[in-house]
Amino acid sequence: MIGISKISKQISIFILLLGLGSTLFSQKSIRDSAIIIPHIDLVYSYQLPAGDLVDRFGFFHTIGSAFYVKDRKGFIYGLDGQVQFGNQVKEIPITNLFTSNGRVINGDGNFANVKGSMRGFRITGQFGKVFKLLNPNPNSGLKVLVGAGFWQHRIRIEDTENKTAQIKFPYQKGYDRMTNGFMLTQFLGYQYFSGSRLVNFYFGVELNEGYTKNRRAYNFSEKRKDDESRVDISVGFKVGWVIPMYRKAPKEFYYN
């Protein structure tokens, strides 16, 4: 019985080592093999308006996150969500509240300190490819994306002392120019993947086109409903920090 037990243990160890060896053999290095990489991105972009958007806002910022999967052939699929903000507002939607000197009177009879800012968000589904150009490994290179989704932006009107009833809820809806609609987006840049969770990133230029309309029932300052179609455009420099979703960072090998 003792001999059989020893033989059984030796066979078990042999099978374990054989299995481990075949697993190690089947591993692929991220540095020399194209692999499937699901990843979460933390994103920032600096945006310059164009089209109809340039009459409403100056430059603005976006921050957000995205989830993508890069397959072995370099194709990319994913979802991207961004929030937008800025303090460069060109369009003044409260001119009907101005006194002769261009100020607004608050509930105390004093001049209100009213400020305008840009707020918005966008959600897009995206598809693209990483091309093996200037790439230190098969998972990095020129990145091209196209996408479509939904874009909304508005003018946030704020009284810093909160004493101006004319722009409080629900009246601010007549001033905020809330606008939304279908959008397209395109991105051209460079993607870098490494064997480390911390050193993965991309950067490049994106172009966004929104086919939008004002969704409010009435603009108080213009004394009318604005139902004209808009083409809102922005061009931005975009950077992303990429977090690969591995069980552990593939410094040398990646499991199929």
Side-chain angles (χ1 to χ4, degrees):
M1 295 294 291
I2 295 175
I4 294 175
S5 178
K6 287 184 178 180
I7 293 173
S8 298
K9 287 182 180 179
Q10 290 174 354
I11 292 174
S12 298
I13 293 172
F14 175 77
I15 293 173
L16 179 62
L17 291 175
L18 182 63
L20 180 59
S22 64
T23 301
L24 290 173
F25 183 76
S26 66
Q27 290 172 345
K28 294 182 178 180
S29 169
I30 194 172
R31 294 176 298 183
D32 56 29
S33 299
I35 61 174
I36 298 173
I37 306 179
H39 54 92
I40 295 174
D41 303 349
L42 303 179
V43 182
Y44 166 80
S45 69
Y46 177 89
Q47 299 281 329
L48 295 173
D52 292 325
L53 196 65
V54 75
D55 295 327
R56 181 165 294 176
F57 301 116
F59 71 84
F60 58 95
H61 310 272
T62 76
I63 57 173
S65 62
F67 174 76
Y68 292 101
V69 175
K70 184 197 76 67
D71 68 17
R72 290 187 178 90
K73 294 183 179 180
F75 289 105
I76 306 171
Y77 318 83
L79 293 172
D80 179 282
Q82 308 285 320
V83 295
Q84 303 168 329
F85 58 94
N87 58 11
Q88 305 295 313
V89 179
K90 297 180 180 180
E91 184 174 343
I92 303 175
I94 56 171
T95 52
N96 61 310
L97 301 179
F98 283 176
T99 62
S100 58
N101 60 358
R103 300 291 298 275
V104 178
I105 303 296
N106 65 23
D108 292 339
N110 300 316
F111 289 130
N113 186 17
V114 179
K115 296 181 179 180
S117 58
M118 185 254 199
R119 294 291 185 271
F121 70 91
R122 47 173 264 198
I123 301 173
T124 56
Q126 300 193 17
F127 168 77
K129 195 175 192 303
V130 175
F131 295 91
K132 297 176 183 179
L133 180 65
L134 301 176
N135 57 321
N137 61 63
N139 300 287
S140 305
L142 181 69
K143 182 178 183 178
V144 178
L145 288 173
V146 294
F150 179 83
W151 186 2
Q152 177 172 298
H153 56 77
R154 64 183 177 89
I155 301 174
R156 181 188 182 193
I157 306 297
E158 179 185 15
D159 173 12
T160 58
E161 297 180 340
N162 198 30
K163 295 181 178 180
T164 308
Q166 304 97 303
I167 59 175
K168 290 183 179 180
F169 180 84
Y171 304 111
Q172 82 273 21
K173 293 182 179 181
Y175 299 108
D176 69 2
R177 306 293 197 265
M178 189 184 79
T179 300
N180 60 44
F182 176 75
M183 73 168 292
L184 298 172
T185 184
Q186 304 86 39
F187 175 85
L188 176 63
Y190 184 80
Q191 172 81 64
Y192 176 75
F193 282 107
S194 74
S196 167
R197 286 183 184 272
L198 299 178
V199 189
N200 303 276
F201 59 86
Y202 63 85
F203 60 88
V205 178
E206 71 172 1
L207 176 64
N208 305 299
E209 308 96 19
Y211 303 93
T212 64
K213 283 188 176 183
N214 187 326
R215 304 302 178 179
R216 296 307 191 190
Y218 196 76
N219 284 350
F220 291 160
S221 61
E222 298 178 344
K223 298 181 180 180
R224 68 180 182 91
K225 176 179 174 58
D226 178 7
D227 56 2
E228 297 178 2
S229 296
R230 297 170 54 92
V231 180
D232 295 322
I233 299 173
S234 72
V235 180
F237 176 74
K238 187 175 183 179
V239 295
W241 178 45
V242 178
I243 306 172
M245 297 178 65
Y246 304 118
R247 291 183 182 177
K248 59 181 180 179
K251 295 180 180 179
E252 294 296 335
F253 299 100
Y254 181 85
Y255 289 85
N256 283 328

